[in-house]
């Protein structure tokens, strides 16, 4: 392997090195057969390996009876309260509920009116970025992928904090409130800078208004004319509530807790979680769903022809369409079996919005892909436990109908999930009391050191 040849052609030479590189990192599956390795931190039955206890959130997709998983409609609880109830109550009352979910996750209980008014005032006060931050941190290094910009900006907030390494409960709560309040502004500004410097559009920066909710402010900040409807703001608020937390076992929250177990600062832990969420198998899946449906709409002539759609989806699973990954994005979940409660709520409100926007045909296509795709996957994998659409299947369509650019889909997920991350970070830092240190079984073949002159 010669990476530093004098006439290195980065494209051709690196392609030639690819097989050598793959060989250096290859581990045969048989290595796993003789040891009890929990690949992906999953047990042999697909359940997650238990590595801790949390009082922040709970994800329930099945019950266990006599050692067997019994499927059930999915439930998601925030501090013991059904998240669906929080969403439905706020939509019925015409109120904005994300801030209430943040209070619940961070402080462990629902606020009374006086507490909630004070908390919203605190969020409004924390919403402004430090003086010069946008110019010094965001303007000077625009990025096409806003998740990298967001992670770097959150990490940079460390330098503006007078007590960045203080891990007392009060200081971590203060940092958490500031991060939740500031992330929407960071994303909005990073998006404006990206559009201007990398895509050649006019630059506009809108400041948040203290009396508005996070959902209202976000729509106001990312749109050139600052306009939005009340319905749009409430639908976005619903999405934020549904994404606020998902227990301790999802990859980004686990990453946040793992990093927090070392005793590091809040900004490092949240930036690490953002890096995890960027992955297309995690938060980036909502954008991959919309990309996949773009291919389906181009290649399938009749969306209501089950035979044609089944043929196409079968070929998609063979890796012959789309990104050739062999995946139908938006289907399946590590915990949920019968249903993902978030997808159920989103789908319910997506129908009315799709009717208003003239996009019912797209929604019906998604429903057909959900139905046929699940049948195909279960047949191929000989599954007996039910499989469902996950939150990513319909969330991208909601954002699209709200006129939100695809570049903002995953950052919006991060904005919402910041509440859960911060709550789990505090729980781990205050109660974990032990650094997470998993083990890997060695697959190394021992060999002798050969002096360089003899190689």
């Amino acid at each position: 392997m010669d990476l530093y040849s004098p006439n290195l052609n980065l494209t051709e030479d690196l392609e030639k090195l690819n097989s050598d590189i793959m060989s250096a990192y290859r581990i045969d599956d048989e290595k796993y057969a003789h040891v009890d390795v929990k690949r992906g931190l999953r047990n042999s039955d697909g359940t997650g390996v238990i590595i801790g206890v949390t009082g922040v959130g709970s994800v329930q997709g099945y019950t266990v009876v006599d050692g067997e998983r019994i499927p059930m409609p999915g439930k998601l609880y925030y501090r013991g309260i059904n998240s669906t109830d929080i969403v439905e109550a706020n939509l019925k009352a015409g109120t904005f509920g994300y801030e209430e979910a943040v209070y619940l996750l961070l402080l462990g209980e629902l606020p009374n009116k006086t507490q909630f008014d004070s908390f919203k005032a605190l969020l409004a006060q924390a919403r402004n970025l430090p003086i010069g931050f946008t110019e010094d941190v965001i303007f000077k290094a625009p990025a096409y992928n806003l998740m990298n910009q967001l992670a770097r900006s959150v990490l940079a907030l460390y330098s503006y904090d007078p007590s960045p390494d203080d891990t007392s409960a009060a200081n971590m709560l203060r940092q958490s409130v500031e991060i939740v309040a500031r992330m929407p502004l960071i994303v909005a500004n990073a998006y404006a800078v990206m559009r201007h410097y990398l895509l050649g559009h006019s630059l506009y920066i809108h400041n948040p208004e203290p009396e508005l909710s996070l959902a209202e402010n976000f729509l106001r900040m990312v749109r050139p004319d600052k306009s939005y409807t009340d319905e749009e703001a409430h639908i976005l608020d619903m999405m934020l509530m549904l994404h606020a937390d998902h227990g301790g076992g999802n990859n980004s929250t686990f990453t946040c807790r793992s990093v927090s177990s070392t005793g590091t600062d809040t900004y490092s832990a949240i930036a690490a979680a953002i890096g995890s969420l960027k992955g297309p198998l995690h938060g980036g899946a909502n954008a991959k769903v919309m990309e996949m449906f773009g291919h389906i709409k181009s290649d399938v002539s009749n969306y209501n022809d089950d035979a044609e759609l089944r043929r196409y989806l079968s070929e998609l699973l063979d890796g012959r369409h789309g990104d050739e990954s062999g995946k139908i994005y938006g289907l399946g979940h590590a915990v949920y079996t019968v249903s993902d409660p978030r997808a159920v709520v989103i789908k319910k409100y997506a129908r009315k919005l799709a009717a208003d926007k003239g996009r019912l045909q797209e929604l019906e296509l998604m429903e057909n892909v959900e139905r046929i795709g699940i049948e195909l996957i279960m047949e191929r994998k000989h599954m007996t436990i039910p499989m469902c659409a996950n939150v990513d299947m319909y969330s991208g369509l909601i954002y699209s109908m709200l006129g939100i650019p695809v570049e903002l889909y995953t950052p919006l997920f991060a904005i919402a999930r910041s509440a859960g991350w911060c709550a789990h970070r505090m729980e781990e830092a205050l109660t974990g009391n032990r650094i997470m240190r998993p083990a890997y079984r060695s697959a190394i073949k021992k060999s002798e050191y050969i002096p360089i002159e003899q190689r």
Side-chain angles (χ1 to χ4, degrees):
M1 183 184 302
D2 184 8
L3 184 59
Y4 298 104
S5 61
N7 300 313
L8 180 66
N9 180 300
L10 288 177
T11 301
E12 295 180 5
D13 287 11
L14 288 178
E15 285 181 356
K16 292 175 184 177
L17 289 173
N18 189 62
S19 61
D20 291 336
I21 295 170
M22 292 300 294
S23 177
Y25 286 95
R26 181 177 294 114
I27 296 179
D28 295 330
D29 285 342
E30 65 181 31
K31 297 287 185 182
Y32 291 90
H34 306 296
V35 292
D36 185 23
V37 176
K38 310 290 188 182
R39 299 186 77 172
L41 289 180
R42 308 283 179 90
N43 296 309
S44 58
D45 62 357
T47 58
V49 174
I50 302 296
I51 55 92
V53 176
T54 178
V56 176
S58 175
V59 181
Q60 299 178 8
Y62 55 85
T63 56
V64 179
V65 178
D66 296 330
E68 292 188 15
R69 284 196 294 169
I70 307 300
M72 60 174 278
K75 303 290 183 184
L76 172 61
Y77 295 93
Y78 298 163
R79 297 287 189 174
I81 298 175
N82 193 320
S83 62
T84 300
D85 292 342
I86 300 172
V87 172
E88 294 288 3
N90 279 281
L91 287 172
K92 182 178 180 180
T95 52
F96 291 97
Y98 178 68
E99 286 80 358
E100 183 180 54
V102 173
Y103 188 103
L104 174 63
L105 290 167
L106 290 181
L107 294 166
E109 61 183 14
L110 289 171
N112 60 36
K113 189 177 187 310
T114 300
Q115 291 170 327
F116 193 37
D117 288 343
S118 296
F119 185 67
K120 287 190 290 185
L122 187 63
L123 283 170
Q125 181 182 345
R127 201 168 278 146
N128 295 314
L129 291 169
I131 295 174
F133 186 90
T134 297
E135 294 82 356
D136 295 338
V137 177
I138 299 176
F139 269 64
K140 291 185 177 179
Y144 283 106
N145 194 300
L146 301 181
M147 291 296 283
N148 290 77
Q149 179 74 289
L150 177 59
R152 183 164 55 82
S153 296
V154 167
L155 202 57
L157 287 172
Y158 177 99
S159 300
Y160 296 81
D161 189 331
S163 305
D165 292 306
D166 179 356
T167 55
S168 66
N171 193 60
M172 286 193 293
L173 179 60
R174 187 262 307 170
Q175 291 172 329
S176 297
V177 169
E178 290 180 350
I179 286 173
V180 170
R182 288 170 169 174
M183 277 179 56
L185 185 55
I186 290 173
V187 169
N189 288 354
Y191 175 65
V193 169
M194 182 271 289
R195 289 182 76 254
H196 177 63
Y197 287 105
L198 301 182
L199 302 180
H201 297 286
S202 297
L203 177 65
Y204 55 87
I205 299 289
H206 302 316
N207 292 323
E209 295 291 343
E211 71 277 7
L212 299 180
S213 67
L214 190 152
E216 291 172 300
N217 263 316
F218 187 79
L219 291 174
R220 180 183 182 279
M221 289 187 294
V222 298
R223 293 178 172 175
D225 61 359
K226 300 183 284 188
S227 67
Y228 60 89
T229 67
D230 192 56
E231 180 188 28
E232 288 176 328
H234 281 290
I235 290 293
L236 180 56
D237 183 64
M238 174 192 75
M239 299 296 290
L240 296 171
M241 283 187 277
L242 291 171
H243 285 88
D245 185 54
H246 207 241
N250 66 86
N251 193 285
S252 57
T253 302
F254 172 69
T255 297
C256 180
R257 294 192 71 128
S258 177
V259 172
S260 295
S261 77
T262 70
T264 194
D265 64 278
T266 298
Y267 304 103
S268 294
I270 302 304
I274 294 168
S276 164
L277 193 72
K278 178 192 174 185
L281 298 184
H282 193 6
N286 51 23
K288 294 296 289 185
V289 166
M290 296 306 289
E291 177 187 320
M292 176 185 74
F293 274 97
H295 292 296
I296 293 174
K297 287 187 286 186
S298 297
D299 299 339
V300 175
S301 59
N302 186 352
Y303 302 163
N304 295 312
D305 185 336
D306 281 9
E308 183 181 5
L309 195 54
R310 185 180 180 88
R311 174 194 57 74
Y312 182 87
L313 293 177
S314 182
E315 293 174 356
L316 186 66
L317 288 171
D318 291 334
R320 294 162 58 186
H321 296 297
D323 64 359
E324 301 182 347
S325 67
K327 298 179 184 298
I328 299 180
Y329 292 99
L331 297 184
H333 194 271
V335 179
Y336 297 127
T337 52
V338 175
S339 60
D340 180 334
R342 304 165 299 173
V344 171
V345 173
I346 291 173
K347 188 175 176 181
K348 172 184 174 181
Y349 289 96
R351 180 161 293 280
K352 180 181 182 304
L353 190 61
D356 293 342
K357 301 285 187 179
R359 297 179 66 175
L360 271 176
Q361 189 180 44
E362 287 182 68
L363 177 63
E364 290 168 355
L365 172 61
M366 286 189 167
E367 292 173 335
N368 290 337
V369 169
E370 175 186 354
R371 173 174 52 85
I372 297 171
I374 287 175
E375 291 175 1
L376 282 171
I377 294 172
M378 291 187 67
E379 288 172 7
R380 288 187 175 216
K381 295 186 176 182
H382 306 291
M383 295 169 60
T384 56
I385 293 177
M387 181 184 186
C388 64
N390 60 50
V391 69
D392 296 310
M393 175 60 80
Y394 296 97
S395 61
L397 179 62
I398 287 281
Y399 293 144
S400 175
M401 290 191 294
L402 291 177
I404 294 173
V406 68
E407 295 93 341
L408 293 171
Y409 290 4
T410 310
L412 268 171
F413 195 158
I415 287 169
R417 187 57 59 83
S418 63
W421 288 338
C422 288
H424 283 279
R425 183 275 189 295
M426 290 185 64
E427 186 178 60
E428 185 65 39
L430 296 171
T431 68
N433 301 320
R434 192 169 188 179
I435 186 173
M436 292 187 189
R437 202 289 185 193
Y440 275 73
R441 184 64 58 90
S442 174
I444 294 174
K445 292 182 179 180
K446 295 181 180 179
S447 58
E448 297 295 326
Y449 176 80
I450 302 173
I452 194 168
E453 296 82 4
Q454 301 174 26
R455 295 176 206 163

